[in-house]
């Protein structure tokens, strides 16, 4: 996987709710009565739920979604989410069991080849008139051509007690994917006792993390001292620049966490903002 960068607003890229907010699904779920075709009417329960994309089936060929691909539709007629790498927003209108997805915008971050291929399939399928049906927690969107998108309702997660996997690094106004070969290697877990522990990329660590409102004050990190390869060390330095003795702002949107710490760090310009994005690991 090649590391790509995009100079964009950090808030625009991550598109999170207000810092420190741990939002719920907000779904006043109530399913309608199935019609003769067996399709569940989905107008109330389709909105204000984070739908994790499981797969897209085009021309009879099923393609599994990368982790992190999701869709959310609000009651104001907007759809937003991630195709797996790039984020998107679009107009969305619900009438009975029909969801009509209109024009929208996406970020332009370079992605791994397989992820980019999925994004192309997903973006084409998630447009125009779609028939929506819900069975238990599974949503199926069907295009006029018979192609389908399968999604699952996911519950929001709290800061503490969640295994957070680092997926994005932020420096100033630029965000980037992780260094090649370091995917899944940096993780954070916050304890309800004001601690944080995990892995930085190669070395494991432990420290204090006092949460107050929309901020987390990290104490100095204690870490193991294994000698690691350069990609892992590069990741470790980036994560430490956010959590080692720093006061950060944080935000949670369903299953996505952002941490943002302002201030100079070694090898960076004064006032350079450092941050990271993390996703709740499955299981």
């Amino acid at each position: 996987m090649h590391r790509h960068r995009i100079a964009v607003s950090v808030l625009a890229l991550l598109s999170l709710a207000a810092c420190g907010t741990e939002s719920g699904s907000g779904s006043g779920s109530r399913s309608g009565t199935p019609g003769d075709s067996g399709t569940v009417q989905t107008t109330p329960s389709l909105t204000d739920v984070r739908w994790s994309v499981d797969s897209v089936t085009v021309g009879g060929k099923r393609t599994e979604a990368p982790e992190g691909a999701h869709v959310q539709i609000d009651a104001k007629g907007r759809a937003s989410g991630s195709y797996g790498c790039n984020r998107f927003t679009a107009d969305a209108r619900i009438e009975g069991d029909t969801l009509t997805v209109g024009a929208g915008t996406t970020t332009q971050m370079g992605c791994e080849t397989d992820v980019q291929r999925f994004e192309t399939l997903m973006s084409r399928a998630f447009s125009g008139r779609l028939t929506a049906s819900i069975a238990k927690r599974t949503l199926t969107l069907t295009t006029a051509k018979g192609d389908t998108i399968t999604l699952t309702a996911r519950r929001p997660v709290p800061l503490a007690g969640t295994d957070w996997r680092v997926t994005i690094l932020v420096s100033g106004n630029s965000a980037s994917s992780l260094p090649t070969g370091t995917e899944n290697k940096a993780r954070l877990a916050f304890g309800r006792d004001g601690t944080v522990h995990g892995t930085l990329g190669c070395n494991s660590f432990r420290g204090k993390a006092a949460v107050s409102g929309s901020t987390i004050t990290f104490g100095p990190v204690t870490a193991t001292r294994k000698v690691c390869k350069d990609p892992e060390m590069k990741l470790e330095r980036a994560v430490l620049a956010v959590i080692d003795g720093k006061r950060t702002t944080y935000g949670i949107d369903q299953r996505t966490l952002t941490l943002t710490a302002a201030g100079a760090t070694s090898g960076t310009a004064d006032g350079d903002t450092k941050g990271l994005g993390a996703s709740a690991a499955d299981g």
Side-chain angles (χ1 to χ4, degrees):
M1 175 177 177
H2 298 289
R3 184 170 180 260
H4 300 272
R5 300 178 67 85
I6 173 172
V8 295
S9 163
V10 173
L11 291 179
L13 173 68
L14 298 176
S15 187
L16 289 180
C19 288
T21 300
E22 299 186 13
S23 60
S25 66
S27 174
S29 298
R30 62 175 181 86
S31 298
T33 303
D36 294 339
S37 64
T39 298
V40 179
Q41 302 302 309
T42 61
T43 302
S45 57
L46 184 60
T47 59
D48 297 322
V49 176
R50 179 182 173 105
W51 295 101
S52 178
V53 183
D54 299 324
S55 64
V56 174
T57 301
V58 177
K61 182 178 180 180
R62 181 180 182 274
T63 302
E64 291 190 3
E67 188 171 353
H70 69 278
V71 174
Q72 288 177 268
I73 302 167
D74 64 29
K76 297 180 180 179
R78 295 293 292 174
S80 62
S82 169
Y83 292 132
C85 175
N86 284 290
R87 297 190 66 89
F88 71 89
T89 60
D91 296 325
R93 186 175 72 256
I94 300 172
E95 296 175 324
D97 65 352
T98 299
L99 169 66
T100 302
V101 181
T105 61
T106 67
T107 57
Q108 298 295 321
M109 185 162 64
C111 312
E112 186 179 357
T113 301
D114 289 345
V115 176
Q116 186 62 60
R117 186 180 300 114
F118 177 85
E119 291 205 346
T120 299
L121 294 172
M122 175 69 184
S123 61
R124 290 175 179 172
F126 191 67
S127 64
R129 291 172 61 86
L130 305 169
T131 301
S133 64
I134 296 177
K136 295 184 178 179
R137 299 182 63 82
T138 299
L139 166 66
T140 302
L141 300 175
T142 305
T143 71
K145 294 181 179 180
D147 298 330
T148 59
I149 305 171
T150 304
L151 312 93
T152 301
R154 302 295 296 274
R155 294 182 176 88
V157 296
L159 176 67
T162 299
D163 181 11
W164 295 105
R165 188 185 64 182
V166 178
T167 56
I168 294 174
L169 301 176
V170 176
S171 179
N173 289 324
S174 295
S176 67
S177 54
L178 304 188
T180 302
T182 65
E183 298 81 6
N184 300 316
K185 292 190 175 181
R187 292 180 179 246
L188 310 173
F190 293 87
R192 294 178 177 84
D193 58 353
T195 61
V196 61
H197 68 275
T199 58
L200 299 167
C202 172
N203 287 288
S204 58
F205 78 94
R206 181 172 295 274
K208 297 291 186 180
V211 180
S212 177
S214 63
T215 65
I216 303 174
T217 302
F218 290 94
V221 165
T222 300
T224 57
R225 296 179 177 274
K226 290 189 293 185
V227 177
C228 310
K229 297 179 181 179
D230 183 63
E232 285 87 353
M233 292 308 299
K234 191 171 186 179
L235 175 59
E236 292 202 0
R237 288 192 294 269
V239 175
L240 284 171
V242 181
I243 69 170
D244 191 10
K246 300 295 190 303
R247 184 175 185 270
T248 77
T249 56
Y250 84 99
I252 295 178
D253 181 11
Q254 297 284 323
R255 298 177 67 84
T256 301
L257 167 71
T258 54
L259 297 174
T260 305
T265 58
S266 178
T268 65
D270 286 347
D272 193 15
T273 298
K274 295 295 180 182
L276 60 82
S279 297
D282 289 332

